[in-house]
Amino acid sequence: MEPFSDHFMEFHPIHGTNVRLDYSGTQATRVESFANGVCFSKHPLNPGEIFLIEIEDKELGWCGHLRVGLTSRNPKNLDVVPEYSIPDLTDQGDSWIFAITRNHNKIPEVEQEQAAEGEEAGGHRLGRGEPEDVAEVQENSKPKSFFTDSHLFVDNVRIPKDKLVGRSRPGRFSHILDDLYKTNALPPTARRSRIGVLYVPKGRGQGDMHIIINGEDMGPSARSIPTTQPLYAVVDVFAATKCVRIVQVEYGFSSLQTLCRKAIQKHIVHRMAIDWLELPEALKHYCKYE
């Protein structure tokens, strides 16, 4: 299944008091303190549709990082935007939010089995998507073709991988940094890392929430989320994370701009070589930075 996105991704105009959005509504910056940075997607997500953001800037001196998840609470109906997504928003119920770390969703196997059996109500926190039957064991045992696959498969959802992986600022050593982003070897909240959240329908009005870090599926973070209500993405620009921007993902036919970028990047050895090409400056910028 390939989700259909019928809208341009933006942040909701309702957000934390310390957040400032740019003119396009796609960049959120926390301008004061370390809290009150909670943001929401402007529209509910479609099944399998990823809300993808890139960490643009960080702020030294604070402990803690970006928090991401889903909520069924319509931002327009909030009396006040909570100071923190965790625990303020999660304690209100109908929200599933996690601090972004490498092991953000690991739990003991016993707890995981209970969640799989549906012994807990609502959404359940899980591990890294451990297989539930032999077919999944066989599928997960296949070697990863990270550098060759054009799409990321999350259960039956197919997401173009072109925009999922972070890219360094063009420079002398950008090709080395780009390889680190591709292999997801850098800290997940490093500057320029790309982090996405989506939910996958599982039938009976329920779904699993997945968090994607630099093109790698971290496995289900929460199971049995009710999907009968609209689900909004939540991004908490918290503490050491200062600024994030939304990355638009193209599910259908690629735009002419994207096709040009792919063709150019396919025939160059390094992004800095784009400067040597006789191309419009706007296209050069797009090829180097997007």
Side-chain angles (χ1 to χ4, degrees), residues 116-132:
E117 293 170 3
E119 293 184 8
E120 298 176 359
H124 309 305
R125 185 170 176 168
L126 287 184
R128 295 177 59 88
E130 284 75 5
E132 296 178 355

Side-chain angles (χ1 to χ4, degrees), residues 162-163 257-265 286-287 290:
D162 181 48
K163 296 288 188 72
Q257 191 179 41
T258 298
L259 291 173
C260 288
R261 177 172 64 94
K262 288 181 178 179
I264 292 168
Q265 291 176 344
Y286 181 69
C287 291
E290 290 296 322

